[in-house]
């Protein structure tokens, strides 16, 4: 995996524009006046912006602010509005990708919440509503991070009673079901923990396709899928597309076929609307390069051909001057156990020109970082191609990027495009700011050993985290090269490819965070910031992230496996010199770094090994690293961390309510675009379901 979506550890009126009564494409935004904007309770003051909304289960819902939106030119605001609509019109897709019956579940929950007539304070209803919010947060019935299915705490009988009291016409019954049959069907899907128990299984002892609940494959086996795609790859062609990225694989008449996600194909109801809004965006594009990229994206959605997607990515990489940018499509493959299928996501953003100076300074030195890396000479790129780096402010996120969001993006994922044409790296500045504004000192005080370390983390971690993200995205994912004849990591490293790639990018960042080069570039005041980054990484990797794991479970998520693997490997290899010391005081465990310079050497050693594994396609070597260091959890330590974290009364996962863009019109002309910051997560989810619920419940 070439792109990373790093998650922090603690850590409009909606338009009727995507739906209409006659199911035609429409452009009918709700018109607002200045007076209604003043009295609308969803509008938050710029001066006292509220970052935290609510907390439930293991989740906390935040908001982020789009700096200076009202000062932007009308053309830019209009472009952002069109891209905002395109993003939300694809929201249904990720639900269906995550599990075949997710849309049935979601539409059922929406109907029950919208039509509940009882006491909202009733204990059983409150439990039911928490479940509904968890489904909305995770884009389905599986936890967005652990991949495990979660079930309601309310009783099945209460749920069935809610269905019984709801008009049948409001429920997603199929033509063969009556309400009683539907109630039995949907109750089993929601309440039976053994049914579709794991969204993505990475257990190498199982058939990963059959063991995973994702809706990328049906009626096929892992071997059949692997053989199917292996036969398509031209070993003599260095510019193969990302086969399988935009399709579901099924078996018809004994043969494997692809149901492509495209206009006229699977998900056409959503994709047609995405295309409609992208074509409107083209009319207000900032420049020819941006226009060309959007045109090629539309061409891909209409053709479904992956070569067209590659052409789009090449054009997108070339567009480095625009202030507005958009990711829209089937991008990341983390939700596919075989690492081939791209989940729908969209991130619409605008450049933060002042903050971009830091990340651009790093990107400009990409070749120096490559030349001075600890990796083997034959694995270094002789010429690092055009890395465009900037800080952006998100305006809307959708699909796999929402409500849980990345803080850094590096695209495109196709390796040959990166090598020949370059890549774009971004840091989502206002997302990072929101996390910082919402966090406190409680985690630092609980998990770091002494006042010296706590003081350094408190004072330096904010910038250190930004630098880590910058280095991870700009230098990490763009570094290194495969040896001649070695296939893509998804083919060679298989189910370990994502975790190893995230580890590789993290290690590039860690290796250089203790390098005086960053001080020379003027992006880091002193090595204390590098030390704070090391303190955080080891403590999070070995301790804090355990708060996210259910008792008795192994670690499955790629980023978590990566952090544990890097931290545990460094701890073990540094034992002889006591580089990292495990301390226990007053029943609490700490990991304390005694020698930052030696730890940097260890990070460099592991970086060299992971790059070798990737460059040579060494599956067994990659498997050993992940399975030996990144999967198993110490049960006693886990219990301790869970208790310590619970005492903080904080949720370990965070996500966002999205801003809302509203077109103000005179006749058919947009004369302004306003931004609002909704306060209510449930209300936003219900509005999204009403106005952007475009797909049938079964696809």
């Amino acid at each position: 995996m070439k792109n990373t979506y790093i998650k922090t550890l603690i850590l409009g009126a909606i338009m009727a524009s995507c739906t209409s009564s006659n199911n035609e494409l429409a452009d009918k935004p709700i018109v607002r006046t200045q007076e209604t904007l003043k009295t609308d309770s969803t509008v938050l003051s710029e001066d006292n912006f509220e970052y935290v909304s609510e907390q439930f289960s293991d989740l906390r819902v935040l908001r982020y602010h789009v700096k200076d939106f009202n000062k932007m030119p009308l053309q830019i605001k209009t472009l952002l509005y069109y891209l905002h609509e395109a993003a939300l019109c694809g929201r249904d897709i990720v639900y269906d990708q995550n599990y075949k019956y997710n849309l049935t579940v979601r539409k059922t929950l929406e109907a029950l919440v919208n039509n509940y007539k009882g006491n909202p304070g009733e204990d059983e209803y409150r439990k039911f509503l928490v479940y509904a919010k968890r489904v909305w947060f995770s884009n389905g019935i599986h936890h967005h991070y652990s991949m495990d299915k979660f079930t309601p705490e309310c009783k099945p009988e209460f749920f069935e009673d809610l269905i019984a009291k709801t008009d049948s016409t409001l429920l997603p019954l199929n033509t063969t079901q009556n309400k009683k049959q539907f109630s039995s069907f949907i109750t089993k899907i929601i309440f039976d923990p053994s049914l579709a128990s794991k969204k993505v299984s990475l257990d190498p002892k199982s058939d990963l396709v059959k063991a995973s609940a994702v809706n990328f494959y049906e009626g096929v086996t892992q071997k059949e899928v692997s053989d199917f795609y292996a036969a398509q790859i031209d070993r003599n062609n260095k510019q193969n597309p990302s086969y399988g990225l935009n399709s579901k694989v099924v078996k018809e008449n004994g043969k494997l076929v692809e149901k492509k996600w495209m206009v006229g194909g699977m998900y056409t109801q959503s994709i047609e609307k995405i295309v409609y809004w992208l074509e409107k965006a083209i009319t207000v594009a900032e420049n020819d390069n941006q226009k060309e990229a959007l045109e090629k994206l539309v061409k891909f959605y209409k053709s479904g051909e992956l070569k067209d997607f590659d052409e789009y990515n090449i054009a997108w990489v070339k567009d480095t001057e625009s202030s507005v940018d958009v990711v829209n499509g089937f991008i990341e493959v983390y939700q596919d156990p075989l690492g081939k299928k791209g989940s729908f996501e969209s991130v619409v953003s605008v450049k933060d020109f002042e903050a971009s100076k830091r990340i651009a300074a790093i990107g400009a030195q990409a070749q120096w970082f490559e030349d001075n890396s600890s990796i083997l000479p034959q694995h270094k790129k002789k010429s690092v191609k055009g890395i465009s780096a900037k800080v952006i402010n998100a305006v809307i996120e959708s699909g796999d990027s929402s409500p849980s969001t990345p803080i850094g993006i590096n695209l495109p994922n196709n390796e040959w495009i990166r090598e020949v044409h370059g890549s774009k790296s971004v840091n989502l500045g206002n997302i990072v700011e929101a996390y910082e504004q919402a966090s406190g000192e409680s985690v630092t005080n609980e998990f770091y050993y002494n006042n010296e370390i706590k003081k350094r983390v408190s004072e330096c971690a904010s910038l250190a985290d930004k630098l880590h993200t910058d280095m991870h995205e700009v230098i990490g994912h763009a570094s290194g090269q495969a040896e001649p004849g070695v296939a893509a990591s998804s083919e060679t490293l298989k189910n370990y490819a994502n975790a190893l790639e995230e580890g590789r990018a993290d290690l590039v960042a860690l290796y250089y965070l203790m390098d005086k080069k960053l001080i020379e570039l003027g992006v880091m005041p002193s090595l204390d910031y590098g030390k704070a980054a090391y303190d955080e990484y080891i403590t999070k990797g070995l301790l804090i992230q355990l708060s996210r794991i259910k008792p008795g479970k192994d670690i499955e998520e790629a980023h978590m496996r990566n952090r544990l693997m890097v931290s545990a490997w460094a701890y073990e290899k540094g034992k002889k010199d006591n580089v990292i010391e495990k301390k226990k005081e007053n029943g609490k465990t700490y990991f304390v770094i005694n020698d930052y310079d030696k730890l940097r050497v260890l990070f460099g050693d592991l970086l060299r090994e992971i790059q070798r594994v990737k460059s040579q396609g060494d599956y067994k070597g990659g498997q050993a690293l992940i399975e030996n260091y990144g999967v198993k959890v110490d049960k006693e330590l886990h219990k301790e961390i869970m208790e310590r974290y619970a005492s903080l009364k904080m949720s370990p996962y965070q996500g966002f309510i999205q801003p809302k863009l509203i077109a103000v019109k005179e006749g058919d002309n947009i004369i302004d675009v306003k931004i609002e910051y909704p306060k209510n997560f449930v209300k936003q989810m219900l509005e999204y379901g009403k106005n952007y619920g475009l797909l049938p419940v079964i696809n």
Side-chain angles (χ1 to χ4, degrees):
M1 200 58 196
K2 313 329 180 271
N3 174 37
T4 182
Y5 272 36
I6 309 173
K7 311 285 183 176
T8 57
L9 198 53
I10 184 65
L11 309 152
I14 299 297
M15 270 55 77
S17 49
C18 279
T19 57
S20 63
S21 58
N22 60 1
N23 200 33
E24 294 177 351
L25 295 173
D27 180 13
K28 300 177 181 178
I30 293 176
V31 178
R32 293 295 186 90
T33 66
Q34 288 297 327
E35 202 56 41
T36 58
L37 287 171
K38 287 179 183 177
T39 59
D40 194 320
S41 63
T42 65
V43 179
L44 298 177
S45 168
E46 299 280 325
D47 298 326
N48 60 346
F49 190 84
E50 300 168 15
Y51 286 92
V52 180
S53 172
E54 65 174 308
Q55 184 168 303
F56 52 88
S57 185
D58 60 350
L59 308 169
R60 187 159 70 147
V61 181
L62 310 178
R63 302 181 191 86
Y64 61 88
H65 178 247
V66 184
K67 183 173 63 175
D68 294 331
F69 181 88
N70 293 325
K71 298 178 182 178
M72 296 176 191
L74 179 59
Q75 179 189 359
I76 297 299
K77 291 197 286 188
T78 303
L79 176 60
L80 290 169
Y81 167 69
Y82 290 148
L83 295 174
H84 164 279
E85 293 297 293
L88 291 173
C89 287
R91 175 176 178 260
D92 271 5
I93 295 174
V94 79
Y95 275 87
D96 195 74
Q97 289 177 320
N98 284 343
Y99 178 49
K100 183 175 181 177
Y101 297 112
N102 268 339
L103 286 174
T104 306
V105 171
R106 195 194 79 197
K107 290 178 185 292
T108 301
L109 298 177
E110 290 168 351
L112 299 183
V113 174
N114 272 319
N115 294 278
Y116 181 65
K117 307 300 183 186
N119 176 11
E122 181 185 355
D123 187 54
E124 285 294 289
Y125 181 74
R126 286 191 292 107
K127 292 176 180 177
F128 162 75
L129 189 59
V130 167
Y131 175 75
K133 290 192 282 187
R134 294 186 70 187
V135 171
W136 289 321
F137 192 98
S138 295
N139 296 316
I141 65 173
H142 299 89
H143 195 281
H144 73 289
Y145 221 76
S146 74
M147 307 296 175
D148 292 325
K149 181 179 181 178
F150 51 83
T151 56
E153 293 186 5
C154 67
K155 295 172 182 166
E157 294 78 11
F158 177 81
F159 178 76
E160 291 174 318
D161 186 57
L162 289 178
I163 292 178
K165 293 176 180 176
T166 302
D167 190 322
S168 296
T169 61
L170 302 175
L171 297 168
L173 282 66
N174 66 41
T175 55
T176 65
Q177 290 174 320
N178 57 38
K179 186 192 279 191
K180 184 176 180 181
Q181 291 170 327
F182 173 77
S183 179
S184 176
F185 164 75
I186 199 68
T187 300
K188 182 174 178 60
I189 285 176
I190 289 175
F191 282 88
D192 185 347
S194 66
L195 183 64
S197 62
K198 197 80 174 177
K199 182 169 76 171
V200 182
S201 174
L202 296 177
D203 182 357
K205 297 187 290 294
S206 66
D207 183 309
L208 300 182
V209 167
K210 289 186 174 182
S212 300
V214 285
N215 193 27
F216 296 135
Y217 310 101
E218 191 165 348
V220 297
T221 67
Q222 178 181 347
K223 184 178 187 307
E224 286 175 323
V225 174
S226 297
D227 291 345
F228 178 73
Y229 285 116
Q232 297 181 31
I233 296 173
D234 182 354
R235 302 296 176 184
N236 297 316
N237 181 11
K238 294 183 178 179
Q239 298 186 358
N240 282 291
S242 301
Y243 289 114
L245 187 70
N246 65 325
S247 66
K248 177 179 177 178
V249 177
V250 299
K251 188 178 287 187
E252 294 181 356
N253 300 319
K255 293 184 178 181
L256 269 63
V257 297
E258 291 184 299
K259 297 174 65 176
K260 287 192 176 180
W261 308 326
M262 57 181 287
V263 171
M266 190 172 177
Y267 302 141
T268 187
Q269 299 91 338
S270 285
I271 297 173
E272 288 174 29
K273 306 296 173 64
I274 294 171
V275 166
Y276 170 77
W277 288 107
L278 290 176
E279 288 179 333
K280 293 188 77 68
I282 289 168
T283 66
V284 290
E286 295 179 70
N287 52 58
D288 289 342
N289 284 342
Q290 186 181 67
K291 181 180 179 182
E292 180 185 4
L294 291 172
E295 288 173 338
K296 289 184 181 297
L297 179 56
V298 167
K299 182 182 178 183
F300 162 67
Y301 273 132
K302 290 181 176 179
S303 73
E305 296 297 324
L306 286 168
K307 289 184 178 179
D308 289 337
F309 186 64
D310 285 350
E311 288 298 316
Y312 155 68
N313 278 302
I314 292 168
W316 180 76
V317 167
K318 187 170 66 174
D319 176 22
T320 59
E321 300 301 321
S322 300
S323 59
V324 171
D325 208 346
V326 60
V327 173
N328 186 300
F330 310 113
I331 311 297
E332 295 302 334
V333 298
Y334 290 102
Q335 308 306 324
D336 178 6
L338 303 187
K340 295 184 180 299
K341 307 298 176 184
S343 297
F344 175 82
E345 67 179 69
S346 187
V347 177
V348 179
S349 61
V350 62
K351 185 175 181 179
D352 186 325
F353 287 91
E354 184 61 31
S356 291
K357 293 177 182 178
R358 181 193 71 243
I359 194 170
I362 292 172
Q365 295 293 318
Q367 191 64 58
W368 184 92
F369 288 113
E370 184 78 354
D371 294 342
N372 289 275
S373 174
S374 64
I375 64 178
L376 295 172
Q378 62 267 36
H379 299 154
K380 294 180 180 180
K381 289 179 179 176
K382 300 297 184 284
S383 178
V384 179
K385 297 293 182 180
I387 298 175
S388 169
K390 60 186 176 182
V391 175
I392 62 173
N393 288 320
V395 177
I396 184 72
E397 298 175 303
S398 176
D400 201 39
S401 295
S402 175
S404 181
T405 172
I407 60 172
I409 302 174
N410 179 273
L411 291 172
N413 285 327
N414 193 315
E415 190 65 38
W416 76 261
I417 296 178
R418 301 166 66 84
E419 292 180 0
V420 176
H421 299 280
S423 62
K424 282 184 182 178
S425 294
V426 298
N427 182 311
L428 280 72
N430 59 340
I431 298 295
V432 174
E433 177 190 28
Y435 281 130
E436 291 176 351
Q437 292 290 335
S439 66
E441 294 292 324
S442 56
V443 173
T444 301
N445 290 331
E446 176 61 38
F447 289 101
Y448 293 90
Y449 179 63
N450 58 29
N451 289 334
E452 177 188 353
I453 299 172
K454 292 174 184 177
K455 183 174 184 294
R456 182 166 57 234
V457 168
S458 295
E459 294 178 354
C460 302
S462 176
L463 176 58
D465 288 344
K466 293 183 178 72
L467 288 169
H468 187 187
T469 302
D470 294 347
M471 300 292 294
H472 178 116
E473 301 293 351
V474 180
I475 307 301
H477 284 305
S479 68
Q481 64 181 3
E483 294 185 5
V486 176
S489 296
S490 60
E491 298 295 324
T492 58
L493 304 180
K494 302 178 182 178
N495 50 305
Y496 299 109
N498 292 335
L500 288 166
E501 174 59 21
E502 294 305 321
R504 192 180 72 91
D506 264 359
L507 285 162
V508 171
L510 291 167
Y511 185 71
Y512 284 113
L513 276 162
M514 280 295 291
D515 196 304
K516 292 182 179 179
K517 180 70 172 180
L518 298 184
I519 300 174
E520 294 173 12
L521 291 175
V523 298
M524 188 171 77
S526 72
L527 291 181
D528 279 344
Y529 291 81
K531 290 180 178 180
Y534 280 25
D535 292 330
E536 277 203 305
Y537 198 90
I538 295 300
T539 299
K540 288 178 178 180
L542 294 177
L543 295 177
I544 300 175
Q545 75 169 3
L546 296 182
S547 63
R548 296 178 160 193
I549 305 298
K550 290 183 178 179
K553 293 286 187 178
D554 291 339
I555 293 179
E556 297 242 20
E557 200 278 332
H559 296 84
M560 296 180 73
R561 283 186 163 193
N562 140 47
R563 291 191 203 100
L564 178 59
M565 179 265 295
V566 170
S567 302
W569 187 95
Y571 172 63
E572 180 185 286
K573 300 303 179 183
K575 275 186 175 180
K576 180 181 177 181
D577 295 326
N578 202 28
V579 176
I580 303 171
E581 184 177 357
K582 182 178 181 179
K583 294 177 179 283
K584 193 151 188 172
E585 292 187 5
N586 301 318
K588 295 182 178 182
T589 302
Y590 304 90
F591 285 91
V592 181
I593 301 170
N594 292 322
D595 194 321
Y596 293 88
D597 292 328
K598 287 185 178 179
L599 181 54
R600 186 196 182 204
V601 173
L602 289 172
F603 284 150
D605 291 343
L606 183 55
L607 171 60
R608 184 185 308 111
E609 173 59 10
I610 293 180
Q611 183 63 61
R612 182 201 65 78
V613 165
K614 180 179 179 180
S615 296
Q616 296 177 351
D618 181 3
Y619 176 82
K620 289 185 177 179
Q623 180 185 45
L625 283 171
I626 298 299
E627 293 292 343
N628 291 339
Y629 296 99
V631 175
K632 298 299 179 183
V633 176
D634 182 301
K635 293 181 180 179
E636 184 178 341
L637 179 61
H638 187 199
K639 182 175 182 294
E640 174 199 324
I641 299 305
M642 293 291 284
E643 291 173 352
R644 290 168 66 183
Y645 201 90
S647 70
L648 304 179
K649 301 187 184 306
M650 296 181 68
S651 297
Y653 300 99
Q654 300 180 110
F656 289 88
I657 296 175
Q658 298 298 319
K660 185 161 54 175
L661 301 191
I662 301 152
V664 181
K665 302 187 77 174
E666 284 185 356
D668 293 331
N669 298 320
I670 293 177
I671 61 170
D672 198 6
V673 177
K674 298 296 184 182
I675 191 167
E676 292 184 354
Y677 299 98
K679 293 181 177 182
N680 190 300
F681 180 63
V682 171
K683 182 179 178 182
Q684 180 166 84
M685 294 297 99
L686 293 175
E687 288 179 334
Y688 279 180
K690 177 182 177 182
N691 295 307
Y692 301 96
L694 302 171
L695 292 180
V697 293
I698 301 295
N699 297 278

